[in-house]
C-alpha cells in the first residue's frame, strides 16, 4: 500500500506541474485569467502635468475632480490667487487663475506665500495653513479676500485647497 501511495502522490505532482506549465505557456494565471490583460485602471484624481506646472509656475497641483483648472489669466469670471516669492516663470509671476467648469469643484494644491484669493460667481472656500494651523476661509464672490499677510497677519499662508459650490 505504501508503494502505491508514493506512486500516486508522485504522479499527481507530475500532473500538477504539467498543468501549470500548460497554463503558463497559454498565458493563463492560476485563476484562468490571461497574463496579457492589464490591471484595472483606478483613477487617483492626480492633476495631469503637475510636475511640469510645478517646474514652470512654482505651484504644486495635487489632485481634484477636474472642475477647477489652472488656466491663463486675462478673462473675467475666474478664481484668482496672488502669491509672493514663488518660482513662477509666467510673465505675471505670482498670479494664478483658475476656472471652475461646473457648479461644484475641488482642487488640492500647495502654494506657499499666498496672500489673496479672488472668488468668481461660486461660493469659494480656500483651505490654508498658517504656522502649522489649518483653517478654511470663505472667499468673497467676485471680490478679493486676504489670507496670511494679506489678511493683516504676521505670517505667510500656504494655500492647500480651493472648493467651489453654487
Amino acid at each position: 500500500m505504501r508503494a502505491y501511495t508514493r506512486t500516486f502522490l508522485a504522479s499527481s505532482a507530475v500532473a500538477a506541474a504539467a498543468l501549470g506549465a500548460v497554463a503558463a505557456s497559454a498565458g493563463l494565471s492560476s485563476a484562468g485569467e490571461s497574463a496579457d490583460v492589464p490591471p484595472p485602471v483606478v483613477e487617483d484624481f492626480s492633476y495631469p502635468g503637475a510636475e511640469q506646472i510645478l517646474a514652470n509656475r512654482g505651484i504644486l497641483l495635487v489632485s481634484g475632480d477636474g472642475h477647477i483648472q489652472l488656466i491663463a489669466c486675462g478673462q473675467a469670471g475666474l478664481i484668482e490667487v496672488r502669491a509672493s516669492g514663488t518660482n513662477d516663470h509666467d510673465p505675471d509671476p505670482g498670479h494664478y487663475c483658475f476656472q471652475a467648469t461646473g457648479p461644484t469643484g475641488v482642487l488640492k494644491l500647495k502654494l506657499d506665500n499666498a496672500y489673496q484669493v479672488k472668488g468668481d460667481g461660486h461660493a469659494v472656500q480656500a483651505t490654508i495653513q498658517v504656522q502649522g494651523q489649518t483653517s478654511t476661509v470663505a472667499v468673497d464672490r467676485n471680490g478679493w479676500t486676504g489670507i496670511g499677510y494679506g489678511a493683516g497677519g504676521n505670517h505667510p499662508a500656504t494655500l492647500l485647497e480651493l472648493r467651489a459650490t453654487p
Side-chain angles (χ1 to χ4, degrees):
M1 187 72 108
R2 284 186 175 170
Y4 173 77
T5 305
R6 276 187 253 157
T7 304
F8 177 75
L9 290 175
S11 58
S12 295
V14 169
L19 283 175
V22 169
S25 69
L28 300 176
S29 69
S30 61
E33 299 172 0
S34 173
D36 295 332
V37 175
V41 175
V42 177
E43 177 62 60
D44 63 359
F45 299 100
S46 61
Y47 201 93
E51 290 179 16
Q52 187 67 33
I53 294 168
L54 177 61
N56 292 337
R57 300 289 317 269
I59 181 173
L60 177 61
L61 302 175
V62 179
S63 64
D65 63 3
H67 296 291
I68 297 179
Q69 301 172 353
L70 178 69
I71 66 166
C73 296
Q75 61 182 332
L78 300 176
I79 299 169
E80 299 180 47
V81 178
R82 291 280 189 178
S84 62
T86 64
N87 189 24
D88 187 1
H89 302 291
D90 191 71
D92 185 9
H95 186 198
Y96 303 91
C97 294
F98 302 90
Q99 184 174 40
T101 60
T104 64
V106 64
L107 176 63
K108 293 181 185 298
L109 63 146
K110 184 177 181 205
L111 179 60
D112 294 327
N113 300 313
Y115 61 89
Q116 283 185 321
V117 181
K118 181 179 182 249
D120 63 356
H122 293 83
V124 176
Q125 293 186 331
T127 302
I128 63 171
Q129 188 174 57
V130 177
Q131 282 197 308
Q133 299 294 317
T134 302
S135 62
T136 302
V137 176
V139 177
D140 292 340
R141 283 184 195 255
N142 301 305
W144 289 97
T145 301
I147 58 174
Y149 289 132
N154 295 326
H155 303 285
T158 298
L159 180 61
L160 301 175
E161 181 180 272
L162 292 170
R163 185 173 295 271
T165 56

